Amino acid sequence: QVTLVESGGGLVQAGGSLRLSCAASERSFSSCAVGWFRQAPGKGRDFVAVISWSGINTYSSDSVEGRFTISRDNAKKTVYLQMNSLKPEDTAVYYCAAYPSLDSFSLATVEDEYDYWGQGTQVTVSS
């Protein structure tokens, strides 16, 4: 079992930046691939970015490519999502999720692949 806690959300103007954090207390977190998803009001939950357990490989959706960067610090058991050049359409609740995998090429983009989920953090981008 892995418990995930997101933080760093808030209100920001368009063009601004935020950094989200996803922290875990269990050592097994370091053996998990970790992804970020988001859910805008009235819409389904969409994939944003994923990072392998080692941090070597990442993959991001086209909508955030070049603006968002996912990274991790396994010593701190934390994954980050640096969000730059934010747009109003980035407004959503952001969730981090994880699944056990020591395959550095395992980068799941589908919700069903993930075993553990955080409670979410709200990001609001004003125009």
Side-chain angles (χ1 to χ4, degrees):
Q1 183 69 26
V2 175
T3 303
L4 304 175
V5 179
E6 301 99 333
S7 61
L11 173 64
V12 64
Q13 288 188 330
S17 298
L18 282 174
R19 188 177 79 159
L20 305 183
S21 298
C22 173
S25 56
E26 297 85 355
R27 186 181 300 178
S28 56
F29 180 72
S30 300
S31 302
C32 291
V34 178
W36 286 95
F37 291 76
R38 65 186 181 185
Q39 186 167 21
K43 297 188 177 181
R45 195 151 54 183
D46 295 328
F47 166 77
V48 175
V50 59
I51 189 166
S52 63
W53 73 274
S54 61
I56 291 175
N57 292 317
T58 65
Y59 178 73
S60 301
S61 67
D62 290 344
S63 62
V64 307
E65 181 67 35
R67 299 188 298 123
F68 292 9
T69 302
I70 189 170
S71 62
R72 70 189 298 162
D73 184 338
N74 281 343
K76 295 182 178 179
K77 296 191 286 289
T78 302
V79 168
Y80 305 98
L81 185 68
Q82 178 66 45
M83 306 186 296
N84 299 328
S85 302
L86 282 161
K87 306 174 181 179
E89 51 263 44
D90 294 318
T91 294
V93 176
Y94 283 71
Y95 299 89
C96 71
Y99 64 96
S101 177
L102 289 177
D103 178 356
S104 286
F105 295 98
S106 179
L107 298 169
T109 62
V110 179
E111 285 186 64
D112 290 349
E113 300 283 345
Y114 288 80
D115 296 321
Y116 311 111
W117 290 83
Q119 81 289 350
T121 185
Q122 177 70 48
V123 171
T124 303
V125 184
S126 63
S127 57

